[in-house]
Amino acid sequence: KGVVLPHRVVGSLVATATGRLGLRPGARVLQFASPGFDVAFWELTMALGVGATLVVAPSRVRLPDRALTDFLARHRMGAGDVLILPPALVAALPEDAVLPAGAVLLVGTEAVPPAVVERWSGRLRVFNAYGPTEAAVNATLGEADPRSAAADASSGVTRGRVPIGVPDPNTRALVLDPALRPVPPGGVGELYLGGPGLARGYLGRPDLTAERFVADPFAAAFGEPGARLYRTGDVVRRLADGRLDHLGRADHQVKIRGHRIELGEVAAAVAGAPGVERAVADTRPAPGGTRRLVAWLVLSGPGRATELNVVRRHLVEVLPAPMVPSDLVVVDEIPTLPSGKTDRAALPEPPSPGPAGTPPRDDAERSVADVYADVLGLDAPPDVHAGFVDLGGHSLLLAVLRTGLRERLGVTVSVAELMRRPTVAEVAGLVTDAPAGGSAEESAPRLVPLRRAPGRPVLLLPGAGGVALPFGPLAAALPAERAVWAWQGPELAAPDLAASDMAASVADVLARIDEVVPDGPVDLVGWSYGGVLAQAVAVELAAQGRPAGSLTLLDAWPGAAGPAGPADDAPSDPAAVFLADVLGVGPVDDADGLGAAVAARPDLAALYPPPVLTGAVRHVEHSRAQLAAHVPQPLPAPDGRPAVTVVVATRNPDTLPDESRSSDVECLQRDFSGTPLERARAIWTPVLPAHARVVAVDATHLGLLRPGAVETVAEHVTETLTRAADPEETS
């Protein structure tokens, strides 16, 4: 949603930079955030408004690595200069990565781990920054100081939390109860923000504007008749000294066994236990259709079993019985969304006991396993066949793993290659094969394992851009016993490399198939361009006497039914705009905007450095040319195989209101008449077996692979895989 802000917010942001942060002319400000994020506007505003120098960080240094801190040192950033960095990135910086002494470090968008404050506040001025876009980007600042822990405790600050501080200049922060009455000091309520920098509302969304922006009941007292307040949805406690302690979200209330429970209060209690750095609480299904309360926590020490017993005793003492979590799940990091908020959907299920797996078997595996254990905080070497993510890792920690392997073993392995080969055994093989002090890097893997499992692999072929990333939700929803691999376009490995036509792309896919399915039937799923490619691969497999087991085409449109030429109002760089939507970083205007948006996301920047991203944009261009020239050939179906399903997205540009149009729609203008289902039948029926199914899903082209529709798509893919296993059902 677009937020409409008045120009006068610029003055408030400059006043905050000078009055609260102490920024002065001649100082330096790091431009770290993408222009698509509101923080980037503050970085730019404070530099230009104060007369400071803006230091633009390139994508290659936007990782929790020495590359970032070395970059800051080369550009002479030091005392009084301002850095705004994600808390997760700061927390993941290795011990030898040193931020400039005396600089001002702002961290925010999520709860700040106490370890960040303990590590950096003696060397830098550390601020916990809080503020939604709707209230002039930043609304409050709290300067963190580990020496104030005792005073904070006496003021009512929950242990493990860093207060979000006091309002910025020209900002009012009110803590109100459900009847919009102020709560007393120490009380808990919802945070409302007001002042001249408040947004006018959401562009084209009067309903949402009316819901979130309410009349200010105290406007007359402040001499602002007709003023409004923004309802943040955040639950806070106003401390005796006027600071605000952020507790959680107002919409995170649950009902368990008849008791209404505020998840933020539970998480605060868990975070307040000895030995706990961070915590989050939520519910999970329980027997009998009920829910159970679960807490995920990051521990500060190695003795996890002992510390968990201490945590449980603490919770029994400070919480009523219904609010004590049934399960305590130790994690190495709380997962976050691109916005920095907790990604509750990514929290792991409470683990069940299982076998320890295979221990390291030689010196190479033992050395790699030690690095894994250090990075992941494991008490013992991990199973050499367990994937990095299965062991508790995530994309930011992959960069830390890469650093550990380089510094301890003298071998450089790219993040992309670590994604492709995520186990200790596989990485040990890379280390063994690499020369001393050499590199085992590959710019981008041609095959990406989205799930390792004993069952026959399913091969996914992506759309224009050739990137596997959008397939993540679909892979997770497919049968757990099936391995899932995704092919990526050759341009990602080398931007100048490209298949000359569809036949060359088919040959490339066939070569990759031999790596994961050396014999037997092949199950293919293709989205968009990848669907047209998958049908062509199935035709070639049949010609070689090796028919596909199943074929699922997801909103695939060959020839004239595919991407059209640019319309009068189309973007100047449609390939970059389309790829931004695929990667979920839009909107952007051109390739430069795409690069900046990806660079601002450390998880994406590690996977798609500039050469790989350039290759992805070129794949969009090459795939369009291939689609325009390709004429699908009939697919034979001996003995009722392969099982074939065509999934059609029914929300197309001619059925969407103007405000719902996006680049994925504009890039897929249909030239055929009729409904999408009718078009799909007209296009595919002549070249697919008679038993092929054509089904509709209420989603946009990109929406097929996103939550809300991907679950239905996964059901159709699974049904197709089942029919492939029973040819009689297919026929």
Side-chain angles (χ1 to χ4, degrees), residues 613-686:
L613 197 61
T614 298
V617 172
R618 291 185 179 175
H619 186 274
V620 175
E621 300 164 348
H622 297 157
S623 63
R624 287 179 173 173
Q626 290 186 21
L627 285 172
H630 176 66
V631 178
Q633 299 301 305
L635 174 62
D639 303 322
R641 292 193 180 188
V644 181
T645 298
V646 179
V647 177
V648 183
T650 57
R651 292 189 189 178
N652 286 313
D654 49 2
T655 62
L656 285 175
D658 289 342
E659 62 268 20
S660 300
R661 295 175 185 268
S662 63
S663 59
D664 73 302
V665 172
E666 293 170 359
C667 288
L668 288 155
Q669 298 171 6
R670 309 289 192 241
D671 292 340
F672 286 20
S673 60
T675 67
L677 209 58
E678 292 169 342
R679 298 173 192 170
R681 290 193 176 105
I683 293 164
W684 286 114
T685 297

Side-chain angles (χ1 to χ4, degrees), residues 13 76 252 280 321 363 421 482 516 544 594 602 609 665-666 674 708:
L13 291 174
R76 304 187 308 280
H252 287 161
V280 62
D363 289 343
R421 308 175 192 275
R482 300 295 294 267
V516 293
Q544 296 179 6
L594 173 64
V665 172
E666 293 170 359

Side-chain angles (χ1 to χ4, degrees), residues 422-435:
T423 69
V424 167
E426 290 169 313
V427 174
L430 291 173
V431 170
T432 301
D433 295 339

Side-chain angles (χ1 to χ4, degrees), residues 224 252 412 658 716:
E224 300 177 4
H252 287 161
T412 300
D658 289 342
H716 289 304

